[in-house]
Amino acid sequence: MTFEGAEAEVPVVDFSGPESLVIRGVSEASSKWGLLQIVNHSISKEVIENLQRVGRQFFELPNEEKMAYAKDLESKNIDGYGSRLRNGWVDHLFNKVRPPNVVDYRFWPKNPSDYRQVTEEYDRNLNEVVEKLFRCLSLGLGLKAEELKKAVGGEELIYNLKINYYPPCPRQDLVLGVGAGTHRSLHPNGFSAKSNSRTPKFLEINIGTMFPTSLIP
């Protein structure tokens, strides 16, 4: 999908509202836009801020310490730390967080010491949102509540957590634009759930559509 003109103001769905209204909001936003923003979800401010903190603490470590968790470039495994130049310098950390049989703790930083605890708590909280989102999408399509979750893998559905960090670029002569800011995203099969440091109370849900958006402050 291509969006032309001013920045898009993405539909906002209040997850604390009556289920019928949540289902309608999710269904309409998904069918017309392919993405939506969720507010009043079950993830507390403390849980979000803790994940922001451990992510920032990891990225501010000396490079040699971060490289201990570097991606294996000869493997198809996406887990681990990496950097790249893409409209600005971007550091990122990828970790599979569920199901348990795909989690590779070799790529989970031991510094900060509570990275695993904080990440797993964030995953548990975000999974509640994902489960509700799948249920709303299914019911909105006239299906049984569990149908879409089952269709994409059920309990074997793989969740990837990615934390992006935008430090000052060491090669500013090559930069063509400005990065969007620090954000964390969870990628179950079929859509992504993203939050960022500027608007942590919002979760942006993307169902296969990419274009500029305007986040409500």
Side-chain angles (χ1 to χ4, degrees):
M1 176 183 294
T2 301
F3 181 87
E4 296 180 355
E7 286 190 342
E9 292 188 0
V10 177
V12 177
V13 177
D14 184 347
F15 245 36
S16 67
E19 185 175 67
S20 60
L21 293 182
V22 177
I23 292 172
R24 183 191 308 167
V26 169
S27 298
E28 290 181 355
S30 301
S31 62
K32 295 178 181 179
W33 285 76
L35 76 164
L36 62 145
Q37 292 183 86
I38 294 174
V39 295
N40 296 325
H41 46 73
S42 58
I43 309 175
S44 71
K45 180 180 178 182
E46 179 182 10
V47 169
I48 294 172
E49 289 180 344
N50 278 339
L51 188 68
Q52 292 174 341
R53 172 182 57 79
V54 296
R56 182 173 57 252
Q57 289 175 343
F58 170 75
F59 287 118
E60 291 176 350
L61 292 172
N63 190 59
E64 58 270 20
E65 192 166 349
K66 291 184 290 188
M67 289 303 294
Y69 303 96
K71 293 182 178 183
D72 182 353
L73 299 180
E74 297 182 358
S75 169
K76 294 182 179 180
N77 186 6
I78 64 173
D79 287 77
Y81 166 73
S83 296
R84 63 178 176 176
L85 181 66
R86 184 178 182 182
N87 292 338
W89 194 262
V90 183
D91 286 358
H92 59 271
L93 180 64
F94 239 127
N95 290 131
K96 294 186 183 73
V97 294
R98 68 174 57 220
N101 63 296
V102 303
V103 176
D104 191 344
Y105 289 115
R106 294 177 302 165
F107 296 99
W108 288 49
K110 293 182 174 59
N111 185 10
S113 60
D114 59 344
Y115 176 85
R116 176 173 173 176
Q117 175 187 342
V118 167
T119 298
E120 290 180 340
E121 183 178 14
Y122 181 81
D123 166 56
R124 285 191 296 271
N125 280 264
L126 189 55
N127 185 57
E128 294 179 9
V129 176
V130 172
E131 294 281 347
K132 183 173 182 177
L133 183 63
F134 271 127
R135 184 169 69 251
C136 289
L137 287 168
S138 293
L139 294 173
L141 290 170
L143 305 172
K144 293 181 180 179
E146 70 279 4
E147 284 300 310
L148 284 183
K149 176 73 179 292
K150 288 171 57 178
V152 295
E155 295 306 312
E156 296 304 310
L157 176 64
I158 295 175
Y159 288 62
N160 297 304
L161 177 72
K162 183 183 183 185
I163 305 178
N164 283 348
Y165 181 71
Y166 299 85
C169 181
R171 289 296 309 275
Q172 296 186 18
D173 57 308
L174 299 179
V175 175
L176 301 178
V178 178
T182 304
H183 69 265
R184 295 140 304 285
S185 57
L186 184 73
H187 300 266
N189 187 19
F191 63 86
S192 67
K194 181 175 69 175
S195 65
N196 66 59
S197 56
R198 292 178 296 138
T199 54
K201 69 178 181 178
F202 288 89
L203 281 178
E204 184 175 307
I205 308 299
N206 189 307
I207 309 175
T209 305
M210 299 293 289
F211 53 80
T213 62
S214 177
L215 295 177
I216 299 174

